[in-house]
Amino acid sequence: LGGVQLLFAAVAPPAPVWVPAGCRGAQGRFAYKLLHDLFANYSSALRPVEDTDRALNVTLQVTLSQIIDMDERNQVLTSYLWVRQAWLDAHLTWDKDAYDGIDSIRIPSSYVWRPDIILYNNADDRFGGSMETNVVLRSDGHIMWDSPAITKSSCKVDVSYFPFDGQRCHLTFGSWTYNGNQIDLHNRLDTGDLTDFVENVEWEVLGMPATRNVVTYGCCSEPYPDVTYTLLLRRRASFYIFNLLLPCIMVSFLAPLGFYLPADSGEKVSLGVTVLLALTVFQLLVAESMPPSESVPLIGKYYIATMTMITASTALTIFIMNVHHCSPGAWPVPPWARQLILHHMARLCCVYEAGGCPRDRCLCHHDGLLRNVGYIAGCFRRHRTAQHRTSEWKKVAKVMDRFFMWVFFFMVFLMSVLVLGKAA
């Protein structure tokens, strides 16, 4: 039986320590007596120091729990913080042996004096403070106050590299009425606590360094210390790449294909106008979420450049269609245009590569033969002149179509590479 009891004692969890009811009651009575004795002649309105000429040291620690929203248009950051403040209250000390060993108690924060530490760059219209939570009061007078708070802070947003941008948002905490000679504010750690941070789907937190500043304002000669936490954010660009950037790039590559369409199809101009309208819709989507500032986002610059290129391509398409549909009574193709377009540009764009016979070796150019067949050829030449001019102008239009197609393909590719390279 003894062995069974030993085995059961080794396996079973330890039983809770039993305390007589009288002892528990005594502990409660001492706690009530301690609370009554501490606050019998205590006032929470005065700064709790023995020497009023000395500053009260207050330490601050901020834990970032969650980024709720970043409103780029209104430049407001909404975040969920845990704010810890600690200080020494010289009027709230006791001998723990005199109160049955009670070393600390938790009481409502409204019972004790609290430093009026607020967020200087608060952007909340209600200007709500921290939640009224309890404070932990120790026997040596040290008070620790942990309170959660949902803050709205102003943040200068720079969207020059949107959607590959990063932001630096400042959270500045300081006393509103006490100067540095009355409250000496310090940061407990050199950085904000990110151990309990809930990852945000849009923003990646790179760090949260803390710095202590001492500022002298124009209204007063006394120094005012503050603690500033700089929240370093980087935007997760995958959503914007797949929903704004890649569709724009794919639509942009459709614009040069308008030069490849046959002029008789009647869809060359409508394709350019359709692509232009699609990019306008994307541009409006970006403009709705961006602040109305002078700095144009990187993706906005890409949209504007692409829309300008498509506008130019549509204008060139109209000009080329006019060349293609020249009437039989049009002027003949000038020699310089025939040499530049039908020879050099056609060879460059691989259009109409069939070569003619050299003039010095072709018998058809000899003067004797020309005189003999001049009468016969003259009759046919008058009938074919109009058709020949029209056909030649169509060849000029086709060569120009191919040339501008490759030029605009290169421009779209170059702009896309420049935008992605600048973002990287």
Side-chain angles (χ1 to χ4, degrees), residues 380-398:
F380 292 98
R381 188 179 295 114
R382 285 191 298 270
H383 294 285
R384 297 181 59 185
T385 299
Q387 296 180 354
H388 177 71
R389 290 177 182 177
T390 304
S391 176
E392 201 170 22
W393 279 116
K394 288 183 178 180
K395 291 180 181 180
V396 170
K398 187 173 183 179

Side-chain angles (χ1 to χ4, degrees), residues 85 115-122 127 129 172-176 227:
Q85 304 176 47
D116 55 347
I117 306 298
I118 65 170
L119 180 63
Y120 280 173
N121 56 330
N122 196 316
F127 209 83
T172 303
F173 295 88
S175 175
W176 187 250
V227 175

Side-chain angles (χ1 to χ4, degrees), residues 137-320:
L137 175 60
R138 301 184 63 86
S139 60
D140 55 0
H142 281 91
I143 297 179
M144 184 174 295
W145 183 26
D146 288 336
S147 61
I150 296 178
T151 62
K152 290 186 177 181
S153 58
S154 59
C155 177
K156 185 178 180 181
V157 178
D158 183 12
V159 293
S160 301
Y161 291 93
F162 175 85
F164 306 97
D165 58 329
Q167 304 298 334
R168 299 170 62 92
C169 294
H170 302 286
L171 300 170
T172 303
F173 295 88
S175 175
W176 187 250
T177 59
Y178 294 102
N179 57 51
N181 299 325
Q182 297 169 329
I183 288 182
D184 193 8
L185 183 63
H186 292 270
N187 48 303
R188 184 177 181 183
L189 300 174
D190 294 334
T191 180
D193 189 4
L194 300 175
T195 55
D196 297 316
F197 176 70
V198 179
E199 291 292 334
N200 189 268
V201 295
E202 184 179 2
W203 296 96
E204 178 184 0
V205 178
L206 303 180
M208 194 178 178
T211 57
R212 180 180 182 271
N213 308 298
V214 179
V215 182
T216 301
Y217 297 98
C219 65
C220 315
S221 59
E222 296 84 3
Y224 283 85
D226 64 68
V227 175
T228 300
Y229 291 88
T230 304
L231 190 58
L232 306 178
L233 302 174
R234 182 170 61 190
R235 192 188 302 271
R236 303 181 191 271
S238 301
F239 173 82
Y240 299 97
I241 289 176
F242 286 101
N243 290 277
L244 291 180
L245 190 57
L246 286 183
C248 176
I249 294 176
M250 291 187 289
V251 169
S252 301
F253 275 100
L254 290 177
L257 292 177
F259 294 105
Y260 192 75
L261 278 176
D264 297 329
S265 65
E267 299 293 334
K268 294 173 70 68
V269 177
S270 61
L271 176 62
V273 174
T274 303
V275 173
L276 188 62
L277 291 176
L279 288 178
T280 304
V281 173
F282 285 115
Q283 175 70 15
L284 291 176
L285 290 176
V286 174
E288 287 179 356
S289 59
M290 294 295 101
S293 62
E294 294 183 357
S295 60
V296 181
L298 182 63
I299 191 173
K301 295 178 182 178
Y302 179 73
Y303 285 164
I304 293 298
T306 306
M307 292 167 66
T308 304
M309 184 198 67
I310 295 175
T311 303
S313 67
T314 306
L316 286 173
T317 300
I318 296 173
F319 171 75
I320 293 173

Side-chain angles (χ1 to χ4, degrees), residues 390-409:
T390 304
S391 176
E392 201 170 22
W393 279 116
K394 288 183 178 180
K395 291 180 181 180
V396 170
K398 187 173 183 179
V399 172
M400 294 176 65
D401 264 337
R402 294 295 188 274
F403 176 76
F404 285 119
M405 182 187 72
W406 291 114
V407 168
F408 280 89
F409 262 128

